[in-house]
Amino acid sequence: MTTDPELLRERAASALLAARARTHLLTHCVDHPDLVAQHSPLMSPLVWDLAHIGNQEEQWLLRTVGGRDPLRPDIDSVYDAFEHPRAERPALPLLKPDEAHAYLTEVRGRVLDVLEHTPLHGGPLLDAGFAFGMIAQHEQQHDETMLITHQLRRGSPVLGEAEPLPADADALPAEVLVPGGPFTMGTSTEPWALDNERPAHRRPVPSFLIDTTPVSNGAYLRFIEAGGYRDPRWWAPQGWAQVQEHTLSAPLFWKRDGGQWLRRRFGVTEPVPPDEPVLHVSWYEADAYARWAGRRLPTEAEWEKAARYDPSTGRSMRYPWGDQDPAPEHANLGQRHLRPAPVGSYRAGASPLGVRQLIGDVWEWTASDFLPYPGFAAFPYREYSEVFFGDGYKVLRGGSFAVDPVACRGTFRNWDLPVRRQIFAGFRTARDAGPEVDG
């Protein structure tokens, strides 16, 4: 990234403005009742996310970076994500939609003034505009959360979309061999990387094979039709308990209608497309499919090596395709489409080993618990990552069609509870490389 202060300011402003344009798109397309309603106890009302975005921006960029007096200290507690679980947020004294929009506008106007007059160096929060990048990522992450709420919302469609391009026609191998040996995992140089991505460290990874593309709906249907949801052999005990307790028989939003499977997608009911990556499956479902297929989920280190390692140089790249920022030909990102692209798409985004769609389309469950890297240091606050470390959360990698490029890179780590199905998550599988494969 450039060190030129004016170019850094331009990059930070562009990221902030892009996030705000998306926030407006997601909140101006629905009427007042849909903004204040809780569409699922798993999610906040859209109006809570809206004001929370503004409150975080005020606290970090106006107060902490800019040293400005608080605008609305009275609402800090209301929009504290750790103080109030999502299910309880509708009962809070939330700002009304017009108040929330006005608050965001006032905060943003002052933030742009702070950006104009703040030196982008002199400490970790300021260097390369980190604090501004952190807040742009935070807003985009909540935009993805609001898009999940749109998917859970009942009613007619309100979001427009363009169709993804068809998959490239070339035949692809089912799996790719990733050679064994150490590689550099994580980063110490990506200027807007978050604390859990740091520091860079060498990680040994034995040889393994990984699916060339994410698991498709068509492949997952074979698991369903083979009785996968009725056979406890494939399920972790907690996963089988979920299947029985909730009578699960397919991914979330799917239903069987006569002889075909349908899905609901942002207000549209349509046949399940067999060539798209499977979506809205929990970690337990992904793990059960992998066991049924005689495979397993990749570890987080395996996933990152498949995505970043260039065997010709031994170097870890920022993205599968290289070090340049994502372009439309590389990956399905940024809510350009309201669905994953068909498996095999984005030839230009393939890794040096030929693995496709590692960035964008669907978050990919890994086998790994969310744990700190060696040498981890919480920054700028413990609650971003550290309080989630442990065996309760599983790591997801790669981003989805709902993720903006500013919040997605080869080192980016997401995490969630293994029961979660409403998120835009799919998976790919892996297997050990035996002597006959490894040579």
Side-chain angles (χ1 to χ4, degrees):
M1 181 188 286
T2 180
T3 58
D4 182 283
E6 293 313 308
L7 292 178
L8 286 173
R9 261 183 255 284
E10 182 179 327
R11 182 175 190 257
S14 176
L16 289 168
L17 293 171
R20 186 54 43 86
R22 186 178 176 198
T23 299
H24 285 325
L25 171 67
L26 290 164
T27 55
H28 281 88
C29 63
V30 291
D31 295 330
H32 183 283
D34 272 337
L35 283 174
V36 300
Q38 187 173 44
H39 298 280
S40 164
L42 297 173
M43 310 302 291
S44 309
L46 290 169
V47 74
W48 186 92
D49 285 290
L50 185 63
H52 170 77
I53 287 168
N55 185 249
Q56 287 291 292
E57 187 167 332
E58 182 195 345
Q59 290 194 50
W60 283 103
L61 299 186
L62 288 189
R63 302 182 199 173
T64 303
V65 172
R68 306 289 181 90
D69 291 335
L71 286 176
R72 293 295 305 266
D74 56 307
I75 64 173
D76 289 354
S77 173
V78 173
Y79 295 102
D80 185 329
F82 285 89
E83 191 170 336
H84 305 288
R86 288 176 174 176
E88 298 174 5
R89 291 171 187 171
L92 298 172
L94 304 178
L95 297 182
K96 295 181 174 60
D98 56 346
E99 294 175 316
H101 281 297
Y103 174 55
L104 258 69
T105 300
E106 184 173 7
V107 170
R108 175 53 57 82
R110 299 184 184 214
V111 160
L112 293 177
D113 183 65
V114 168
L115 176 59
E116 183 67 26
H117 296 96
T118 298
L120 302 184
H121 60 83
L125 266 181
L126 297 179
D127 288 346
F130 173 83
F132 298 92
M134 177 184 74
I135 289 301
Q137 291 178 81
H138 174 266
E139 182 163 354
Q140 288 285 4
Q141 288 168 323
H142 274 273
D143 288 340
E144 182 179 9
T145 298
M146 289 195 286
L147 190 63
I148 293 170
T149 301
H150 272 275
Q151 169 63 13
L152 290 161
R153 166 189 167 272
R154 294 285 181 173
S156 57
V158 295
L159 295 169
E161 65 172 316
E163 290 291 318
L165 295 174
D168 295 323
D170 53 330
L172 295 173
E175 59 185 3
V176 170
L177 173 66
V178 180
F183 85 109
T184 300
M185 187 173 185
T187 180
S188 297
T189 58
E190 187 73 31
W192 288 0
L194 303 169
D195 62 359
N196 62 64
E197 301 171 64
R198 301 173 182 270
H201 58 286
R202 297 291 283 173
R203 183 71 67 95
V205 178
S207 299
F208 67 98
L209 293 114
I210 192 167
D211 290 340
T212 305
T213 66
V215 171
S216 69
N217 287 323
Y220 198 84
L221 274 168
R222 291 192 286 275
F223 168 66
I224 295 173
E225 291 166 355
Y229 280 87
R230 301 190 301 273
D231 192 336
R233 285 182 299 164
W234 314 125
W235 297 83
Q238 302 93 324
W240 183 243
Q242 288 287 315
V243 169
Q244 294 180 301
E245 180 181 353
H246 301 284
T247 321
L248 303 183
S249 60
L252 186 61
F253 306 116
W254 286 29
K255 68 175 182 180
R256 191 164 185 87
D257 183 23
Q260 68 175 337
W261 283 95
L262 304 177
R263 71 175 181 186
R264 179 167 59 83
R265 183 179 60 84
F266 299 108
V268 175
T269 298
E270 61 190 11
V272 170
D275 60 343
E276 284 185 12
V278 68
L279 191 62
H280 297 302
V281 290
S282 69
W283 184 89
Y284 292 122
E285 289 168 293
D287 179 63
Y289 172 95
R291 293 170 191 248
W292 168 80
R295 298 172 68 84
R296 58 178 174 79
L297 295 179
T299 67
E300 181 182 14
E302 288 174 333
W303 188 98
E304 187 169 324
K305 186 170 186 180
R308 299 184 62 212
Y309 180 68
D310 182 353
S312 67
T313 64
R315 190 173 68 86
S316 290
M317 305 180 299
R318 294 178 68 212
Y319 297 97
W321 55 85
D323 293 333
Q324 67 269 40
D325 289 339
E329 66 269 20
H330 292 134
N332 180 8
L333 293 166
Q335 200 182 311
R336 292 195 311 271
H337 316 292
L338 292 175
R339 63 197 307 161
V343 295
S345 297
Y346 296 101
R347 180 191 304 182
S351 75
L353 293 168
V355 189
R356 295 204 184 180
Q357 292 167 284
L358 286 157
I359 299 291
D361 287 308
V362 295
W363 285 108
E364 297 185 16
W365 289 109
T366 73
S368 299
D369 298 332
F370 185 48
L371 298 171
Y373 289 159
F376 167 84
F379 175 78
Y381 57 103
R382 288 187 61 248
E383 289 79 10
Y384 182 73
S385 303
E386 188 174 343
V387 298
F388 297 100
F389 290 147
D391 60 5
Y393 292 87
K394 294 295 185 181
V395 173
L396 301 107
R397 286 303 205 101
S400 72
F401 65 88
V403 175
D404 186 82
V406 77
C408 185
R409 49 197 161 262
T411 58
F412 193 93
R413 307 173 76 195
N414 190 10
W415 65 94
D416 215 325
L417 297 170
V419 298
R420 289 286 186 254
R421 309 176 82 214
Q422 81 275 17
I423 59 177
F424 300 118
F427 63 100
R428 72 181 73 215
T429 68
R431 67 184 176 96
D432 296 344
E436 72 283 359
V437 174
D438 209 9

